[in-house]
Amino acid sequence: MYKKWLRYLPLLTALVFLATCAPGKDSYRQGQELSQMGNWEGAIAFYKDALAQEPNNKTYQEALQKAQQEAAKKHYQRAVNIWNGAAVKNYQAVTRTMESLNKALAFDPENKDIVALHQQIEAKKQELTEEAKKTYQKGVTALNNEQWLEAVTSFRKVNDIYTNYEDTVDKLAIAVAAGTDEYYKQGIAAVQREDWKGALDSFGKVLAIDFTYKNTKMLVEQVKKNDNPEYFLGRAAEMASANEWDRAVGFYETALSYPPRDPKIKSVLIKA
């Protein structure tokens, strides 16, 4: 019996040798080690190498599939975290989310959760792109019509939706520079006319574009002190004393425009 087994010993030895020296075994073993460490993408590379050497090895095939699925889950969860954690669901958030989703989809294109989220984010991407395009065109129209505040508002909205869309940054800079300059000059002209409401309107536009522009904030505070009926009553009295009745009447009428209407002002206006 012993002699009979001895006859098969060389064959058994050869089989063991072949098994231990299988072409893809080293790569498979390294893939296993990386899998145990949670380094699924690193493991995938070794499993693929093992399969390249032994294409029909089911163990390698199953190991590769599991590693791909786990890697996909990892990128999918990262995408979910990025999207849910985005304070603003703008194009930047979409881009960052899609980076992880595309990797997840490449590893496991059959995963329904990944496919569903990918479709949702892709739809959001299209929505934001269309919104940015429309808002940009609105800004361009306002810019061409020298409606500076409208242009600034539109281009800033574009930046909020889609950072660096087309030449938005350049056009925004043009609108800001032109708008602050023109509205500031309009405000100064209104001050010279003692048109306090007009001054506040113009300076308000300046501050809406650039809250730090020149001395606008200081001018607003000064204008506010004069924006009341008492100021215009005083100016009316000055003009009446100087016999400048047209101007006096104008100041009285301005005083009357302030609520609540004081009946005493109206009686003075009639006398004037």
Side-chain angles (χ1 to χ4, degrees):
M1 185 71 175
Y2 177 71
K3 291 181 179 180
K4 182 178 179 181
W5 279 106
L6 285 177
R7 282 184 294 172
Y8 292 105
L9 184 60
L11 177 61
L12 291 171
T13 303
L15 290 172
V16 170
F17 176 79
L18 289 173
T20 57
C21 298
K25 185 175 181 181
D26 285 343
S27 293
Y28 173 74
R29 178 179 54 76
Q30 292 181 68
Q32 287 289 87
E33 291 177 359
L34 289 172
S35 293
Q36 291 172 1
M37 295 167 58
N39 186 351
W40 299 107
E41 290 180 60
I44 286 170
F46 283 105
Y47 290 146
K48 285 184 175 179
D49 183 65
L51 274 171
Q53 299 175 66
E54 296 181 65
N56 298 320
N57 190 308
K58 290 185 177 180
T59 300
Y60 298 171
Q61 291 173 356
E62 291 173 357
L64 175 61
Q65 183 180 34
K66 178 176 174 57
Q68 289 174 324
Q69 290 173 341
E70 293 299 328
K73 289 178 184 177
K74 187 175 181 179
H75 285 293
Y76 168 75
Q77 191 56 54
R78 184 176 299 160
V80 170
N81 292 340
I82 292 172
W83 187 244
N84 290 341
V88 180
K89 301 295 190 289
N90 57 13
Y91 198 87
Q92 184 178 5
V94 165
T95 301
R96 291 180 59 230
T97 303
M98 287 297 280
E99 286 176 1
S100 293
L101 270 181
N102 286 333
K103 291 177 182 178
L105 201 61
F107 285 126
D108 191 1
E110 303 301 321
N111 187 302
K112 293 181 179 179
D113 291 335
I114 296 173
V115 171
L117 184 58
H118 190 277
Q119 291 174 343
Q120 176 189 336
I121 302 302
E122 184 63 36
K124 184 65 175 179
K125 177 181 177 181
Q126 295 301 320
E127 175 191 326
L128 290 171
T129 301
E130 188 61 28
E131 185 179 358
K133 181 179 178 180
K134 289 181 179 178
T135 308
Y136 173 83
Q137 290 300 330
K138 183 178 178 182
V140 170
T141 299
L143 187 66
N144 292 337
N145 292 330
E146 298 185 358
Q147 297 171 322
W148 310 120
L149 183 56
E150 290 82 351
V152 169
T153 301
S154 293
F155 291 135
R156 281 178 175 167
K157 185 177 179 181
V158 172
N159 275 338
D160 290 339
I161 299 169
Y162 191 148
T163 305
N164 296 324
Y165 181 82
E166 299 287 345
D167 59 346
T168 298
V169 173
D170 294 335
K171 282 186 165 50
L172 174 59
I174 292 171
V176 167
T180 49
D181 179 66
E182 182 171 325
Y183 294 139
Y184 182 83
K185 288 177 179 177
Q186 289 176 1
I188 295 297
V191 167
Q192 293 170 347
R193 297 192 308 270
E194 297 181 87
D195 175 12
W196 308 126
K197 291 189 183 301
L200 288 174
D201 180 67
S202 295
F203 290 143
K205 291 177 181 177
V206 173
L207 295 178
I209 295 174
D210 182 355
F211 195 69
T212 63
Y213 190 76
K214 293 186 177 181
N215 62 337
T216 306
K217 285 189 287 186
M218 181 189 73
L219 289 173
V220 167
E221 293 306 313
Q222 292 176 351
V223 169
K224 283 181 177 179
K225 293 177 181 178
N226 296 335
D227 186 28
N228 56 73
E230 288 73 22
Y231 172 86
F232 289 103
L233 286 174
R235 292 290 287 134
E238 290 176 14
M239 293 300 102
S241 298
N243 291 322
E244 294 186 30
W245 298 109
D246 288 343
R247 295 190 67 189
V249 169
F251 284 126
Y252 279 129
E253 288 177 339
T254 302
L256 274 173
S257 68
Y258 286 84
R261 297 180 185 277
D262 189 340
K264 295 180 180 179
I265 299 176
K266 190 171 182 179
S267 63
V268 172
L269 177 59
I270 294 172
K271 292 179 182 179

